[in-house]
Amino acid sequence: MNEITAEQIAKHYSAAMDSVNLINAGQPEDMTDADWADTLKRNRDHLVIMLAKDFWTTEDLTPLRTASA
């Protein structure tokens, strides 16, 4: 694997936190249940993939683990 920079890690963490925040915000009023279920699945899948990465350093991964469960 190529060396990953601190800046790249920060971008990955920010993107993962976007998924966490979206999940934690709950279903928007104007979204159908089917669309929300799809959105949850895609964002949880993204978090599972990100949690499997080996480049994390001191980032708090607890919100990612909680939201992906």
Side-chain angles (χ1 to χ4, degrees), residues 16 44-54 56 61-66 68-69:
R44 286 184 173 143
D45 289 349
H46 172 237
L47 292 174
V48 168
I49 291 166
M50 295 312 294
L51 284 166
K53 300 295 183 185
D54 65 0
W56 300 117
L61 301 179
T62 304
L64 282 66
R65 289 185 189 103
T66 302
S68 69

Side-chain angles (χ1 to χ4, degrees), residues 20-65:
V20 169
N21 293 331
L22 184 143
I23 291 166
N24 290 341
Q27 181 176 350
E29 288 184 22
D30 61 346
M31 183 178 279
T32 67
D33 290 345
D35 284 345
W36 177 240
D38 181 59
T39 298
L40 279 177
K41 181 180 182 339
R42 285 185 287 109
N43 281 275
R44 286 184 173 143
D45 289 349
H46 172 237
L47 292 174
V48 168
I49 291 166
M50 295 312 294
L51 284 166
K53 300 295 183 185
D54 65 0
F55 51 66
W56 300 117
T57 57
T58 61
E59 297 78 19
D60 180 6
L61 301 179
T62 304
L64 282 66
R65 289 185 189 103

